[in-house]
Amino acid sequence: MAKSTTWRMIAFFWHQLADMKRKLLRIIVALVGVAVASYLVPRLTQYVIDQVIPKRAMGSLIGTIALALLLTAVAGLLSGLSTYWIGQVSLSAIARMRDALFRHTLGLDMHYFETSKTGDLMVVLTSDVNTLQRLISSNTLGLFGSMLSFFVVLVLMLIQNWQLTALILLTFPVLFVLNNIFVRRIRAAYRRVRTSSGVMNNQIQQALTSIGLIKSFTTEKATANTFENVNEQNRDNQLTATRLGATFSPITDFVNYLGTAIILGFGAFQVMHGQFTVGLIVAYTAYLGILQAPIRQVTGLIQQLQQATVSFERIKTLQAAVPRVVSPPNAIKLARFHDRIQFDRVGFSYDPSVPVLKNIDFSLAKEQVIALVGSSGAGKTTITNLLDRFYDPTEGKITLDGVDLRQADLESLRQQIAIVSQDVILLDGTIKENLEYGTPNASEAAIWQAAEAANIATFIRELPDGLATQVGERRIRLSGGQKQRIAIARVFLKNAPIVILDEATAALDNESERFVQASFDRLMADRTSLVIAHRLSTVRHADNILVLEHGEIVESGTHDQLMAQNGRYKELYDLQFT
């Protein structure tokens, strides 16, 4: 499994680099030049020691030194160019991969996000991608240059003195065995690190998004203690992985140093018997450094490879996620809504054994207002999620102008629907950027018109920077009503024919609710509206009110009709106003 993952990762990288053949060819040529220069410089050193010095040939000495300096300069230039070109190739590949992964994640449906932890996704999209980036960085890909030098020098060493070279090569199987011993342990250690990092990130994300709850219940110490335990587990996993790496490196270094001892011992023996020269001992010592360079790099690369393998597994898991809700082949591109929405005996469940909606049957005509009321968990929000096709019904069907939503183009459907919920999301940026979100080509006149309709224009004009005022984290603080009216203005600008209001005034005080309700009245004029209401006073004038309990419609009618029925609606109404 591990080997399969590693080869799949290599194949993945090769696919990423496949369209850069010209750049890769330049890199290979440069690396060949570095390899040739790396071999020639020690040969010049041997020539000076064995030939120039005994003959006291000053002219040859100066020429040889000049040639060695030239070769060194050329090798340095080619090495620098190859490093830069490798950086270009690797960073371009990673940028494409990160962009594709982010686009893929955005394309997943709501079910995936509601069943996945945000911290885990953040680790994959940031830390795991960065780990792969380190793996194919210029330093790591430079290993291929070292390997090329390794094979060139090795062949020439075997031609020069195969006995000594063979003795040096005896240390390589030892390195191979050591690598196999440590590889599995290091990979398992880094897999545990990734898991504990995800748990820790989830803990941080949950604490930061629930800071109000933590402070109101004074659970700072308990939350900190929980995080401390998670942090300690992550630290212990990191230490285990670090200890394995710290053990692996010196052992491989010791084996590498055995090669030097072999050259000095066996080489000196051959010199004493006239079979070798002192210059060749010096040259072979330099060649050994060339042979050992990739081995040392591989030692570090193995640790990176194990981290990258774990990260790659998690990235491939994310890439393998397939959205359940997608536009079908030959999807019908919806025209602007003009007739009616029909829920036809719709049923829905997240778990087949626990139905959420049962036999939901109603019609919403153009410019009609239907309100959904009922206890928490009755299925009101689920109905709106099905209309926006965040999920598909498990029974029945929903049609818009006679078209089954499952046959419709998803983008053309969602362009028809605007949602205002209780939890308003403002992006980190200016008020203008928040207003025109989803409608980037809107004119400033249209933006001000939408702001006027949402009762937020006066407030914006009073700000020192007007539409350019920064909102979001650590910026100007907005009240709940102001945020809500910005969200309403955003919907006005979208100009969708269908509006969903999901308990949009539930968290507002009476004064803010009055301003927001006036904005809603303007918004719903000439639009088709589906309203989820907690405060029943806001839906008294709805054309039809559906009362839900346990996923079923138990009552329907106007406010007056339902009050006269003396049923569940009247019970809910009396609870609020008695």
Side-chain angles (χ1 to χ4, degrees):
M1 175 64 184
K3 288 183 179 179
S4 173
T5 301
T6 301
W7 281 112
R8 282 192 298 119
M9 182 170 65
I10 292 171
F12 169 77
F13 285 142
W14 176 249
H15 176 73
Q16 291 288 318
L17 300 173
D19 61 342
M20 301 183 184
K21 294 185 177 70
R22 185 170 297 178
K23 288 184 179 179
L24 290 173
L25 182 61
R26 284 190 306 181
I27 291 169
I28 291 171
V29 171
L31 292 177
V32 169
V34 172
V36 172
S38 298
Y39 171 75
L40 291 177
V41 171
R43 289 292 290 179
L44 291 175
T45 304
Q46 178 224 336
Y47 175 73
V48 168
I49 293 172
D50 290 343
Q51 302 293 330
V52 175
I53 293 176
K55 296 178 180 178
R56 302 178 183 273
M58 289 299 298
S60 297
L61 177 61
I62 294 172
T64 305
I65 292 174
L67 181 57
L69 289 174
L70 177 62
L71 286 172
T72 303
V74 169
L77 175 63
L78 293 176
S79 178
L81 286 173
S82 64
T83 299
Y84 176 71
W85 291 335
I86 289 170
Q88 279 187 320
V89 169
S90 62
L91 290 174
S92 296
I94 285 294
R96 284 205 314 274
M97 184 192 73
R98 186 185 284 114
D99 183 63
L101 188 63
F102 187 68
R103 288 177 183 275
H104 172 77
T105 304
L106 290 179
L108 296 174
D109 56 24
M110 293 299 292
H111 176 267
Y112 181 85
F113 292 103
E114 290 179 356
T115 55
S116 301
K117 293 181 179 179
T118 303
D120 289 340
L121 286 175
M122 288 295 294
V123 168
V124 175
L125 291 169
T126 56
S127 180
D128 286 334
V129 173
N130 289 338
T131 298
L132 291 192
Q133 181 174 340
R134 286 192 294 271
L135 181 66
I136 63 170
S137 66
S138 57
N139 289 335
T140 304
L141 291 182
L143 172 63
F144 292 105
S146 299
M147 292 299 297
L148 185 60
S149 299
F150 174 92
F151 287 113
V152 169
V153 170
L154 179 61
V155 169
L156 295 172
M157 286 175 66
L158 286 169
I159 294 172
Q160 183 73 42
N161 189 327
W162 68 267
Q163 298 100 325
L164 178 55
T165 305
L167 287 174
I168 296 171
L169 291 178
L170 289 178
T171 60
F172 286 39
V174 178
L175 288 175
F176 179 78
V177 172
L178 287 173
N179 286 346
N180 276 343
I181 292 173
F182 280 90
V183 157
R184 293 180 183 177
R185 295 181 183 179
I186 292 174
R187 179 185 291 118
Y190 279 109
R191 187 175 286 115
R192 290 191 293 271
V193 168
R194 286 288 174 223
T195 301
S196 60
S197 293
V199 172
M200 186 174 66
N201 285 342
N202 278 319
Q203 188 76 25
I204 294 171
Q205 189 262 343
Q206 180 176 294
L208 293 179
T209 55
S210 309
I211 193 67
L213 179 68
I214 291 170
K215 290 190 176 296
S216 65
F217 280 86
T218 63
T219 57
E220 289 92 341
K221 288 185 178 178
T223 303
N225 289 338
T226 301
F227 177 76
E228 183 180 3
N229 293 333
V230 173
N231 191 32
E232 285 180 355
Q233 182 64 51
N234 184 62
R235 179 204 63 194
D236 291 343
N237 289 337
Q238 291 272 12
L239 283 174
T240 299
T242 302
R243 184 176 65 250
L244 286 169
T247 304
F248 186 36
S249 292
I251 291 176
T252 54
D253 284 343
F254 175 77
V255 175
N256 284 333
Y257 294 146
L258 285 177
T260 303
I262 290 171
I263 290 175
L264 291 175
F266 189 75
F269 175 80
Q270 287 191 318
V271 169
M272 293 174 188
H273 289 77
Q275 298 172 341
F276 214 50
T277 68
V278 174
L280 280 173
I281 290 180
V282 174
Y284 264 64
T285 304
Y287 291 148
L288 180 63
I290 296 172
L291 294 181
Q292 288 179 342
I295 302 300
R296 291 193 181 108
Q297 287 178 277
V298 166
T299 301
L301 179 62
I302 286 173
Q303 297 180 50
Q304 289 187 18
L305 189 62
Q306 304 323 306
Q307 297 179 54
T309 300
V310 176
S311 294
F312 180 75
E313 288 172 351
R314 292 158 62 100
I315 288 173
K316 294 305 288 184
T317 299
L318 176 56
Q319 288 180 326
V322 178
R324 302 180 180 184
V325 177
V326 295
S327 296
N330 303 315
I332 300 170
K333 193 171 183 64
L334 296 173
R336 188 171 177 86
F337 174 64
H338 61 273
D339 185 14
R340 68 180 55 248
I341 298 165
Q342 180 70 49
F343 278 68
D344 186 5
R345 298 181 180 180
V346 169
F348 178 76
S349 61
Y350 299 100
D351 182 339
S353 63
V354 185
V356 177
L357 294 177
K358 293 173 283 186
N359 199 32
I360 300 298
D361 202 289
F362 70 91
S363 178
L364 178 58
K366 182 183 179 183
E367 298 183 11
Q368 189 179 24
V369 177
I370 286 186
L372 304 175
V373 302
S375 306
S376 296
K380 304 183 294 296
T381 299
T382 302
I383 288 177
T384 63
N385 286 341
L386 292 177
L387 176 57
D388 212 18
R389 209 176 166 224
F390 292 152
Y391 294 91
D392 282 331
T394 50
E395 297 176 8
K397 65 179 180 178
I398 305 170
T399 60
L400 187 148
D401 292 340
V403 178
D404 190 328
L405 297 190
R406 287 170 290 201
Q407 300 304 315
D409 175 73
L410 201 54
E411 184 176 352
S412 70
L413 167 65
R414 290 178 180 166
Q415 285 174 345
Q416 311 256 8
I417 302 171
I419 302 175
V420 182
S421 64
Q422 177 181 341
D423 300 319
V424 177
I425 298 175
L426 292 185
L427 305 176
D428 210 14
T430 65
I431 290 179
K432 182 176 183 291
E433 289 168 343
N434 274 276
L435 289 175
E436 65 183 5
Y437 183 76
T439 319
N441 298 321
S443 66
E444 188 156 327
I447 291 172
W448 280 114
Q449 185 178 357
E452 292 282 0
N455 281 334
I456 195 66
T458 301
F459 168 74
I460 295 173
R461 287 192 180 97
E462 290 174 351
L463 295 170
D465 296 322
L467 287 172
T469 301
Q470 294 284 334
V471 295
E473 287 192 55
R474 301 176 186 239
R475 309 294 172 87
I476 186 173
R477 296 178 63 85
L478 300 176
S479 68
Q482 290 162 346
K483 291 179 181 178
Q484 197 65 272
R485 279 177 279 161
I486 287 177
I488 295 168
R490 186 189 289 165
V491 172
F492 269 114
L493 208 56
K494 183 178 182 180
N495 194 29
I498 303 167
V499 175
I500 295 173
L501 306 179
D502 189 352
E503 296 191 309
T505 62
L508 302 181
D509 56 63
N510 291 331
E511 183 178 3
S512 296
E513 182 183 355
R514 181 168 55 84
F515 279 107
V516 171
Q517 191 61 49
S519 303
F520 283 155
D521 292 340
R522 292 194 192 97
L523 180 64
M524 290 187 291
D526 302 324
R527 286 184 174 85
T528 306
S529 304
L530 191 60
V531 182
I532 297 176
H534 173 71
R535 298 180 183 178
L536 300 185
S537 60
T538 61
V539 296
R540 292 185 59 172
H541 302 295
D543 297 307
N544 192 19
I545 300 172
L546 306 179
V547 184
L548 283 91
E549 289 297 328
H550 307 297
E552 296 183 273
I553 299 174
V554 295
E555 293 175 4
S556 66
T558 64
H559 170 76
D560 292 336
Q561 290 171 341
L562 292 172
M563 291 296 288
Q565 288 180 21
N566 200 30
R568 178 59 176 161
Y569 179 82
K570 186 175 187 303
E571 181 183 344
L572 292 170
Y573 192 88
D574 289 342
L575 284 172
Q576 287 190 16
F577 296 100
T578 302

